[in-house]
Amino acid sequence: MLQKFQVNLMASKLLWTIFMGLLIPTSYSVFFNTTTLLEWSLFSISSTPIMLTLILDPLGLMFSCSVLMISANVLKFSTIYMKEDKFINRFTVLVLMFVLSMNMLIFLPHLMMLLLGWDGLGIVSFILVIYYQNPKSLAAGMITALTNRIGDVMLLLAIAWTLNQGHWNILHMWMLDENMYQVLTITLAAMTKSAQMPFSSWLPAAMAAPTPVSALVHSSTLVTAGVFLLIRFYPFMSSAWWFTPLLLLTAVSTTLMAGLSATTECDMKKIIALSTLSQLGMMMAAMGMGMVHLAYFHMITHALFKALLFVCAGSFIHSHMHSQDLRWMGNLANQMPATSSCLVMANLALCGFPFMSGFYSKDMIVEASMFYQHNLLMVTLMLVAMGLTSFYSTRFSLCVVWGTNNCNPYIYLEESNPLTSPMLTLASMSVISGAIIMWVAPLKQEMMLIPMYQKLMPLILVLLGASLAWLISATKQKNESMLMQTQINHYASCMMWFLIPLSSQFPMKLPMYLSHNYLKLMDQSWLEALSGQGINSLSVKSSNILMSASKPMPVNYLMMSSMLGLMIMMVMF
């Protein structure tokens, strides 16, 4: 019946309808800055009530609208990208389940109910990553699932420890000395879901999923779930003295590592995944500096232009026989002008070019980090990572849009309506969303007066990174960065500072070695010899020896059977 009803054609319209309906309460909540809380008491465990709680606040409603709008555009794009897939209806249902899980995470501030959305994201993401059934996708799905299981276990521990407070509501928590472990577990859960160091290796591996899944997962749903969880918990968790320094250190390390790795990568989707990792580090760093509203602002704007970037990349991949190597593409400004224009706009927003959506949030984070008193080294590394973002974005555009064409001349390049309409919608939002949120949303940001050189510092770094990428591409035939010159640098950069083997292969080496030796020495040798198979073999051999040594008389057979019965009874008792 599912095959007869074309879910993939109706899903985008359904999400657009829900989005339009949700705009009314969102507008009311944002304009009047009101929060509505609905609670249903389900049952009680020793005077602790289990409640189904719904929260309708400006942060959650705005983020849900962004998720629904991006999902509607991505599902529209998937009707072309996956039109040859026999199971496109099943794929669409999985994506809708993903969107439902994310909305449950947004609107349920109760820790036990929030676990439904949290685990739903993990399970559905695993199924979507292994959607293309091959060994590479299975390996990527296992890394994704097992890393996220660490976060699930941490959240379960936090739920168990929260029982001491007599409730599981995020909004009513208070800080005690005994709650330090609880803060640590929630932080680790958010870091695994948002792929912060040392849990970063699963995010580029999850690029094995179809491109529409990547556009959804790595823009507004799975990876931002950890950031959103920390935003919800921030008033409770910031009272721990070590929380913000730990968050700042891991976030800056992540954004720097991702920026350096993206300068040497040649896989188109992995470059965008590493840029997602870099921007997640920027959001976490903003929270580590106490700027929660700016982190939320950047999360919304980043979701819009990152989804646009993935949709444009998916259009290029679809037109080049599903090849993701950017060295095989080129001169697409003439062949696919609309997609190339949207890609350039998304890259400008990603770099923080003035008056694009990314500029408002990213520039404000950098300015606030220089205005307030913070660690000079951390702020400097953030500025370096901002320059690296401009470097790899310019390199990406130069290879794909303006570089020489290296692909097969018989490739048919097209820009149909289901490809261009989601792009143009997301592109318009990538231009205007920053200014709209800045004017409308209550960000609670005070006036900052900083010197002119600090004000111009982000723009200077953006132009410097772009100029350096342009010079390197102009002086060298291969579009290489300096990290590609020596083999160890190139290998370390592509391996994300050896984080991939250290976090996935190294921890598994000793358990695999022990289990392999256990299988050979115990399960397939001694346990076989001492258990049923060994006893059977011994009894058969001994009976054959006795039968061959004795004369064929009935008394001998009776003696042998009685001795065997006695032996069995002795073994049993």
Side-chain angles (χ1 to χ4, degrees):
M1 182 177 177
L2 194 62
Q3 292 293 331
K4 293 179 182 178
F5 181 67
Q6 295 297 318
V7 183
N8 61 310
L9 300 177
M10 299 298 296
S12 178
K13 297 175 184 176
L14 172 68
L15 289 180
W16 274 119
T17 307
I18 298 172
F19 168 74
M20 297 303 291
L22 198 62
L23 275 180
I24 299 168
T26 303
S27 304
Y28 178 82
S29 180
V30 169
F31 280 128
F32 295 102
N33 196 15
T34 59
T35 299
T36 306
L37 201 65
L38 305 174
E39 288 188 340
W40 290 273
S41 181
L42 303 179
F43 56 91
S44 296
I45 301 176
S46 64
S47 76
T48 301
I50 305 294
M51 307 186 79
L52 177 61
T53 311
L54 283 179
I55 181 169
L56 304 175
D57 62 331
L59 298 180
L61 286 166
M62 281 177 64
F63 190 43
S64 178
C65 283
S66 304
V67 170
L68 288 171
M69 193 193 72
I70 291 168
S71 307
N73 285 295
V74 166
L75 284 171
K76 177 86 170 173
F77 164 70
S78 68
T79 57
I80 288 292
Y81 187 85
M82 306 192 71
K83 65 180 178 181
E84 297 174 1
D85 190 357
K86 291 181 180 179
F87 305 106
I88 185 170
N89 289 333
R90 182 193 302 169
F91 170 80
T92 308
V93 169
L94 285 171
V95 173
L96 289 174
M97 288 172 62
F98 204 83
V99 176
L100 175 65
S101 299
M102 190 64 204
N103 278 285
M104 288 173 71
L105 185 75
I106 292 170
F107 291 121
L108 298 176
H110 193 279
L111 259 180
M112 293 189 76
M113 297 299 161
L114 178 141
L115 194 65
L116 295 172
W118 187 269
D119 265 344
L121 286 175
I123 294 166
V124 180
S125 65
F126 171 71
I127 297 170
L128 286 171
V129 168
I130 64 168
Y131 186 80
Y132 293 138
Q133 297 172 13
N134 54 51
K136 181 185 174 185
S137 296
L138 181 60
M142 288 304 296
I143 291 174
T144 303
L146 292 175
T147 310
N148 283 311
R149 286 312 291 171
I150 299 172
D152 297 343
V153 171
M154 292 296 158
L155 204 60
L156 286 169
L157 287 173
I159 288 172
W161 279 322
T162 313
L163 187 60
N164 296 330
Q165 298 195 7
H167 67 92
W168 284 286
N169 200 313
I170 295 172
L171 310 173
H172 302 153
M173 288 188 176
W174 61 86
M175 192 64 200
L176 298 170
D177 292 336
E178 293 82 12
N179 293 345
M180 288 295 180
Y181 298 112
Q182 191 179 338
V183 174
L184 181 62
T185 51
I186 295 170
T187 307
L188 288 174
M191 284 168 62
T192 54
K193 201 65 97 175
S194 292
Q196 299 299 297
M197 286 183 74
F199 309 108
S200 304
S201 59
W202 72 264
L203 188 63
M207 288 295 107
T211 305
V213 175
S214 303
L216 193 59
V217 166
H218 298 96
S219 63
S220 61
T221 50
L222 181 64
V223 293
T224 54
V227 181
F228 192 79
L229 188 75
L230 286 186
I231 290 172
R232 278 267 191 254
F233 273 100
Y234 192 82
F236 159 66
M237 300 176 71
S238 57
S239 51
W241 65 268
W242 48 265
F243 170 67
T244 49
L246 174 67
L247 204 60
L248 182 61
L249 178 63
T250 55
V252 171
S253 304
T254 305
T255 188
L256 191 64
M257 177 271 297
L260 287 170
S261 298
T263 59
T264 59
E265 190 61 61
C266 295
D267 188 326
M268 179 184 285
K269 283 174 70 175
K270 278 194 177 177
I271 290 176
I272 306 175
L274 289 166
S275 77
T276 301
L277 204 53
S278 177
Q279 299 310 305
L280 287 169
M282 190 72 76
M283 297 170 208
M284 290 284 195
M287 266 190 285
M289 294 177 182
M291 301 175 284
V292 188
H293 288 84
L294 295 185
Y296 174 80
F297 185 17
H298 191 52
M299 184 174 70
I300 296 283
T301 55
H302 166 260
L304 294 166
F305 62 72
K306 188 53 61 69
L308 172 63
L309 205 53
F310 267 113
V311 168
C312 295
S315 179
F316 292 149
I317 291 167
H318 177 67
S319 301
H320 288 81
M321 297 190 295
H322 291 269
S323 170
Q324 297 177 192
D325 197 331
L326 54 85
R327 293 169 296 186
W328 198 47
M329 303 177 189
N331 196 27
L332 291 174
N334 294 326
Q335 298 167 354
M336 302 178 76
T339 312
S340 301
S341 304
C342 291
L343 180 78
V344 172
M345 290 166 68
N347 273 330
L348 287 175
L350 174 64
C351 295
F353 196 77
F355 309 116
M356 303 293 283
S357 64
F359 165 76
Y360 291 94
S361 55
K362 205 171 180 180
D363 193 69
M364 200 178 289
I365 290 172
V366 175
E367 285 180 14
S369 65
M370 291 188 288
F371 177 71
Y372 300 109
Q373 290 185 355
H374 292 297
N375 190 313
L376 179 62
L377 176 63
M378 295 294 142
V379 175
T380 308
L381 291 177
M382 274 180 63
L383 292 170
V384 171
M386 195 171 180
L388 287 172
T389 303
S390 176
F391 180 89
Y392 64 71
S393 299
T394 307
R395 170 177 172 260
F396 181 81
S397 298
L398 286 170
C399 277
V400 174
V401 179
W402 299 299
T404 55
N405 191 2
N406 298 317
C407 68
N408 194 328
Y410 299 107
I411 286 179
Y412 175 62
L413 303 173
E414 62 169 351
E415 289 184 337
S416 57
N417 183 50
L419 284 179
T420 53
S421 60
M423 281 182 217
L424 295 175
T425 307
L426 290 170
S428 60
M429 293 305 296
S430 297
V431 175
I432 64 174
S433 63
I436 288 176
I437 296 173
M438 187 84 174
W439 294 335
V440 173
L443 289 176
K444 301 177 184 175
Q445 181 60 44
E446 62 184 356
M447 184 72 69
M448 294 182 294
L449 297 173
I450 58 175
M452 182 59 74
Y453 73 92
Q454 290 185 4
K455 180 73 176 172
L456 295 176
M457 185 70 71
L459 181 60
I460 292 168
L461 286 168
V462 167
L463 295 175
L464 188 64
S467 305
L468 192 60
W470 187 282
L471 286 172
I472 288 175
S473 66
T475 54
K476 297 182 181 180
Q477 292 187 358
K478 293 181 180 179
N479 196 358
E480 297 177 347
S481 71
M482 290 168 285
L483 291 172
M484 289 188 183
Q485 301 301 317
T486 56
Q487 189 172 3
I488 185 68
N489 278 352
H490 188 199
Y491 187 71
S493 178
C494 288
M495 287 282 123
M496 299 165 62
W497 293 356
F498 300 108
L499 205 60
I500 294 174
L502 284 174
S503 63
S504 55
Q505 296 154 5
F506 177 72
M508 292 302 296
K509 188 170 184 180
L510 182 62
M512 285 289 289
Y513 177 76
L514 291 175
S515 60
H516 184 64
N517 282 331
Y518 171 78
L519 182 70
K520 289 196 300 183
L521 295 175
M522 297 295 294
D523 195 38
Q524 294 179 349
S525 58
W526 285 109
L527 288 178
E528 292 287 351
L530 297 175
S531 62
Q533 189 173 351
I535 292 173
N536 178 51
S537 175
L538 181 64
S539 62
V540 169
K541 285 181 182 177
S542 59
S543 64
N544 287 336
I545 291 170
L546 287 171
M547 286 180 66
S548 60
S550 60
K551 294 179 181 180
M553 293 176 65
V555 178
N556 292 336
Y557 288 112
L558 288 171
M559 287 289 294
M560 286 172 59
S561 61
S562 61
M563 286 175 62
L564 184 61
L566 284 171
M567 287 175 62
I568 292 172
M569 289 175 68
M570 288 171 65
V571 168
M572 289 178 65
F573 291 106

